[in-house]
């Protein structure tokens, strides 16, 4: 099943790349002509996931079940008619458009094509609504903000690392590890890490793209998306292209 889904994603990405250039002008033109357009709105900002409500309907049209999930990640449209999604450890890129009925359309003409009603769009929140047969998804987002330095300056204890191994054909394997150790970000922009008895020290910063960068300008430089930081938890994600691995790392405050 994972391989089948992965192949569909790869096929969709290939088609998205093929059509993105010719669709760029059309997408912007369709947006400006739609009921969603407001000259004061920034349509290309980054949105952080908050939660998704999932309603399942029975044959009579009544709600049979309701559930909520809380994925970590973001959603962003770009001015070149492409979009980027990161949901937990799963990245996805494709193309977007606006239909004549003011729906957000992603990956038109591909196996991943889907349409969303835009229930709410403001400077600080976005709500999308999509129906898939008898299941309705309502996805809630808030405006993305760079992580505040003060919220990062703690010792964070390891809980779990989720890894996805990929090659040119897509994801071929996954693993979950529970390393013993911690990760500390210090106020002097140094960090200390111990994982299963192996220690590592270096320097850190938040770059202009709001990424956590460790050991910048060294052979060990790596950048992380800060997916979530709360009073007691930290979630970071990075793509290791040379080694073909996506890492989702979860921590709890010591």
């Amino acid at each position: 099943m994972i391989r089948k889904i992965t192949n569909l994603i790869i096929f969709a990405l290939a088609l998205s790349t093929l059509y993105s250039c010719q669709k760029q002008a059309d997408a912007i033109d369709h947006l400006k002509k739609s009921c969603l357009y407001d000259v004061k709105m920034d349509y290309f900002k980054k949105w952080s996931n908050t939660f998704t409500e999932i309603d399942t309907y029975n044959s009579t049209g009544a709600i049979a079940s309701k559930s909520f999930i809380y994925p970590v990640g973001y959603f962003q449209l770009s001015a070149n008619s492409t979009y980027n999604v990161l949901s937990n450890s799963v990245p996805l890129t494709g193309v977007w458009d606006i239909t004549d009925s003011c729906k957000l359309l992603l990956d038109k003409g591909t196996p991943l094509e889907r349409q969303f009603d835009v229930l709410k769009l403001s400077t600080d929140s976005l709500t999308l609504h999509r129906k898939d047969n008898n299941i309705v998804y309502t996805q809630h987002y808030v405006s993305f903000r760079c992580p505040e330095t003060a919220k990062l300056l703690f010792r964070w204890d390891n809980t779990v690392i989720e890894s996805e191994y990929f090659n040119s054909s897509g994801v071929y394997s996954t693993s979950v590890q529970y390393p013993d150790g911690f990760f500390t970000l210090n106020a002097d922009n140094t960090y200390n890490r111990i994982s299963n008895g192996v220690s590592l020290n270096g320097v850190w910063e938040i770059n202009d793209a709001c990424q956590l960068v460790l050991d910048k300008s060294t052979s060990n430089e790596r950048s992380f998306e800060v997916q979530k930081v709360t009073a007691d938890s930290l979630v970071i994600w990075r793509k290791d292209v040379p080694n073909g691995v996506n890492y989702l790392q979860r921590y709890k405050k010591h």
Side-chain angles (χ1 to χ4, degrees), residues 1 5 13 45 65 83 102 120 127 137 175 195 204 215 231-232 242 246:
M1 177 61 72
I5 294 173
L13 293 178
K45 68 192 304 180
S65 67
Y83 73 87
C102 290
K120 182 181 180 181
T127 305
Y137 301 88
S175 69
S195 181
W204 70 275
D215 302 313
D232 57 8
N246 294 325

Side-chain angles (χ1 to χ4, degrees), residues 26 127 217 221 234:
D26 288 344
T127 305
S217 300
E221 178 178 338
L234 172 68

Side-chain angles (χ1 to χ4, degrees), residues 46-50 70-77 83-94 114 139 141 144 164 211 223-228 235-239 246-249:
K46 199 172 187 178
W47 299 98
S48 295
N49 294 334
T50 56
Y70 301 87
V72 289
Y74 64 83
F75 171 64
Q76 184 174 26
L77 301 180
Y83 73 87
N84 291 283
V85 169
L86 182 61
S87 182
N88 292 330
S89 62
V90 181
L92 182 63
T93 300
R114 56 246 189 252
Q139 301 168 214
Y141 303 87
F144 178 86
E164 289 186 333
Q211 295 174 322
S223 300
F224 298 82
E225 299 278 356
V226 180
Q227 289 198 334
K228 184 178 182 181
V235 182
I236 58 178
W237 178 90
R238 78 179 177 100
K239 178 182 284 293
N246 294 325
Y247 296 100
L248 184 71
Q249 301 172 213

Side-chain angles (χ1 to χ4, degrees), residues 180-199:
D180 180 40
F182 62 86
F183 176 49
T184 302
L185 295 172
N186 303 306
D188 62 357
N189 288 103
T190 62
Y191 74 85
N192 315 106
R193 192 200 75 173
I194 293 181
S195 181
N196 292 333
V198 179
S199 63

